[in-house]
Amino acid sequence: TVLFTDIVDSTAKASLMGDTSWRATLEAHHEVVRQQLRRFRGREVKTLGDGFLAMFDGPARAVRCAQAIVGGVKPLDLTVRAGLHTGEVELMERDVGGIAVHVASRIAHRAEANQILTSNTVKDLVAGSGLRFRDLGAMSFDGLDDPVRLYQAEPLALAA
């Protein structure tokens, strides 16, 4: 399972805070994300400026990690968005590629502040996990022949 996260409105926040304060906030954000990746056995692939690309060997852990990240950065006065998809991934030297990575990235870009979006593949694979989702319908993405059905993972407090 591939997870993308991104800080919402990071450029505006950085501009308001100034470089030194923003750098400290970004470092604190990175520590929260890395702590949750360790907790849920995720593997950091790389940082993407103010976001992360990570992989998991289990989709439920990936969703729970995203939920923990969304909650974990709130004390930093940050909001994040996240997108997840499960599929075949091409492993490269220090990166990953393949359609599953592209799909996860496009899903993440559709997410709003504090929103975790998943593909139907993720939702179907976590049946019985106790996670709850809201159906957002099928969405078309550039470069893909078929639409992807998107689901919003409910916040951590509701997903128990």
Side-chain angles (χ1 to χ4, degrees):
T1 299
V2 179
L3 167 65
F4 277 92
T5 66
D6 180 54
I7 298 174
V8 176
D9 295 329
S10 61
T11 302
K13 266 208 173 304
S15 179
L16 285 171
M17 295 175 78
D19 288 341
T20 302
S21 292
W22 176 247
R23 185 173 39 255
T25 299
L26 195 59
E27 287 173 5
H29 162 269
H30 284 20
E31 181 53 37
V32 168
V33 173
R34 288 181 175 126
Q35 178 183 15
Q36 297 308 325
L37 288 174
R38 286 188 299 272
R39 178 179 171 204
F40 292 98
R41 296 193 334 241
R43 180 172 74 88
E44 177 182 336
V45 176
K46 61 183 172 181
T47 58
L48 304 160
D50 60 358
F52 277 76
L53 166 57
M55 290 184 19
F56 295 80
D57 63 3
R61 279 194 311 282
V63 173
R64 287 190 174 103
C65 183
Q67 291 169 324
I69 290 168
V70 167
V73 300
K74 284 183 181 180
L76 302 174
D77 195 28
L78 294 176
T79 54
V80 297
R81 70 180 115 241
L84 298 103
H85 179 63
T86 300
E88 294 294 317
V89 174
E90 297 293 322
L91 299 175
M92 296 182 254
E93 189 172 324
R94 289 192 172 95
D95 204 354
V96 293
I99 296 300
V101 176
H102 290 282
V103 172
S105 174
R106 283 172 174 69
I107 290 171
H109 282 93
R110 292 279 175 100
E112 297 176 8
N114 295 318
Q115 191 175 44
I116 301 164
L117 297 183
T118 75
S119 64
N120 58 295
T121 307
V122 172
K123 185 219 174 251
D124 291 346
L125 288 171
V126 301
S129 68
L131 293 166
R132 294 193 182 123
F133 297 86
R134 184 164 54 96
D135 188 343
L136 300 180
M139 306 270 180
S140 295
F141 294 107
D142 289 340
L144 298 179
D145 294 334
D146 298 319
V148 176
R149 191 157 206 93
L150 295 184
Y151 290 85
Q152 178 179 317
E154 294 298 337
L156 190 57
L158 299 176

